[in-house]
Structure formats: C-alpha cells, structure tokens
Amino acid sequence: MKIRYLGHSCLLIESGERSVIIDPFLSGNSNAHVSARDVRVDAVLITHGHMDHIGDSIEIAKRNSCKIVVIDELGKHLAKMDADVQIHPLSIGGAYQFDWGKVKLTQAFHGISVELGDELGYSMPTGILLTMNEKTLYHAGDTGLFGDMKLIGDINKIDFAALPIGGNFTMDIEDSIIAAKMLNAKKYMPIHYNTFDIIQQDDQEWYRNMSENNLPAVILESGQSISI
Ligand code: NI
Ligand code: MN
C-alpha cells in the first residue's frame, strides 16, 4: 500500500493497480500541489460534510466514473447537489467489500453540519478503516479524542493511522499521542494542521512526543508518499 499525502486531510492510496482518495480538498488548498483534474481513482471516500473534506469529491468521482463511498446522509446531500453522482452509502460500524478494497466507517466526534449548497444539512462525521491487499489504514477524520479508539485498535490490525493534530476543531498534539497509544497501529502520520491559521501546529514537537513514547511516526510533506 502506497500512501501519498496531498495536504490537509487528503490521502491518495494505491495498492496494486487500484487507488482511492480520501477527503480530496484540492481546489482552494494552496498546499495541495495536485489538481483535482489529474486524480485517477477507483473510488472517492469522504469522512464528513465539511468543505475541507468534501472538496473536489463530486468532480473527481464523475470524471473517473467511480463511486463516492460515504455515510448515507451525506451521500443523500451529495446526490441532491448532483443527480449524476454515484454514491455507495454506509453507516457507522458497517463495512462493504468492493473489488478494490474494503471500507468500514467508524465513529468520530465532531461537527455534524453538511456544507453543501445554501441549505445547511446534517450528517454524522466518521472515521474510515480502509483495507486493500491485507493492509489496513485508519483515517480518523476530524475528531476529538474518544476512549473507543482502544476498541478500534483492539479489533483491527492497523498498519497505518492518520490522526488530526491541529487542535481547535480536532485533537491536538497531546490528545493525538493518547489516541496513538490506544490504536496500536504500526505507524502514524499527522493530518489536519497548518492549512489555516487557526490550526497551526508544530509537527516536529508531535514527532518528538511520539518518539518519546516509542510510537512509530512519519511526517509527510504535501506531495510525499510512503509505502507500507
Ligand atoms: Ni470538519
Ligand atoms: Mn476539517
């Protein structure tokens, strides 16, 4: 599994010949370095309804003739925005095996607004467990710390976890370290920081804290990738 960071919370994941993108906030993110029209994927996954996560999802899914895999209520909002978009709805705790991999949605504790169109909609935020060719990635989405990360770590063999560290809207450095201890993943990377002034964070401090706790960590600059 190859994980490429495209800034903010966006990960492009490749395994074999297949690839998926999570939270493709590319247009309007000066740190993305990749244009939405250059993305080739088999599916688009979205953690929740905020614009810094929905981003270019509809455009990417339509151009690739692929599905958006997302919690049911957010999927309905997306379909209302564009009738041509193909949605695969899931709910929290539910999983589905696609021909390119398996997706299970986890809980996340965060805002419920759906930032699409003029009307404010609502939908639960989620985290994502993505398994492709026996490797499992956990994308925590936007969330505060919660104790059932321990359960998620106990019942899943997580090879790689992406955790928000920006604070203000999500976990900060301190809480992400506690989360990492519970998740028991083989490696961690920080996401959802430094994109906006309000979520500035020192990733070197995060890295030092992780190392002091013997938690294997990697910091990816936007555009960089890691193979696991
Ligand atoms: Ni959010
Ligand atoms: Mn966010």
Side-chain angles (χ1 to χ4, degrees):
M1 178 183 274
K2 185 174 160 200
I3 298 143
R4 184 167 183 219
Y5 186 43
L6 297 180
H8 200 51
S9 285
C10 180
L11 301 180
L12 180 66
I13 296 132
E14 295 171 324
S15 183
E17 300 293 295
R18 315 307 293 273
S19 59
V20 305
I21 195 164
I22 302 179
D23 286 356
F25 171 48
L26 303 175
S27 303
N29 178 11
S30 55
N31 195 29
H33 302 306
V34 167
S35 165
R37 66 177 174 274
D38 295 326
V39 173
R40 305 270 175 281
V41 285
D42 294 286
V44 178
L45 281 50
I46 313 173
T47 58
H48 66 287
H50 293 158
M51 269 321 292
D52 57 319
H53 300 262
I54 296 173
D56 303 291
S57 293
I58 291 176
E59 194 270 311
I60 293 171
K62 282 173 68 176
R63 194 173 31 73
N64 286 275
S65 304
C66 73
K67 286 185 177 165
I68 298 179
V69 181
V70 68
I71 192 163
D72 186 26
E73 292 76 13
L74 178 52
K76 291 191 169 100
H77 287 290
L78 291 163
K80 223 194 271 178
M81 290 300 292
D82 193 318
D84 294 333
V85 75
Q86 303 173 61
I87 305 286
H88 182 102
L90 288 169
S91 284
I92 290 172
Y96 191 81
Q97 180 73 55
F98 299 90
D99 61 3
W100 42 263
K102 182 179 170 187
V103 176
K104 185 173 189 176
L105 297 185
T106 68
Q107 64 186 2
F109 288 90
H110 187 61
I112 58 168
S113 58
V114 172
E115 298 169 349
L116 273 177
D118 298 335
E119 277 168 65
L120 198 58
Y122 300 100
S123 177
M124 294 278 280
T126 68
I128 291 170
L129 285 161
L130 168 69
T131 304
M132 296 172 84
N133 295 319
E134 319 274 299
K135 296 274 185 186
T136 296
L137 173 137
Y138 172 56
H139 186 300
D142 280 4
T143 188
L145 184 64
F146 57 91
D148 276 349
M149 286 184 179
K150 171 84 170 66
L151 179 64
I152 292 171
D154 283 349
I155 62 178
N156 297 282
K157 191 180 75 57
I158 300 171
D159 294 286
F160 193 85
L163 303 178
I165 68 160
N168 194 75
F169 300 115
T170 67
M171 298 190 285
D172 57 11
I173 290 178
E174 198 180 344
D175 283 357
S176 76
I177 306 289
I178 300 167
K181 286 179 185 168
M182 289 194 281
L183 289 164
N184 198 27
K186 292 203 181 117
K187 202 163 223 130
Y188 301 86
M189 75 171 283
I191 56 172
H192 210 271
Y193 68 102
N194 290 358
T195 319
F196 314 114
D197 287 345
I198 204 168
I199 55 172
Q200 290 297 318
Q201 209 60 270
D202 178 0
D203 54 13
Q204 296 303 321
E205 184 194 333
W206 175 82
Y207 190 86
R208 274 195 304 279
N209 272 284
M210 291 289 283
S211 301
E212 280 162 17
N213 285 283
N214 296 314
L215 295 161
V218 62
I219 293 170
L220 299 179
E221 301 296 327
S222 180
Q224 285 186 329
S225 53
I226 183 172
S227 291
I228 57 153

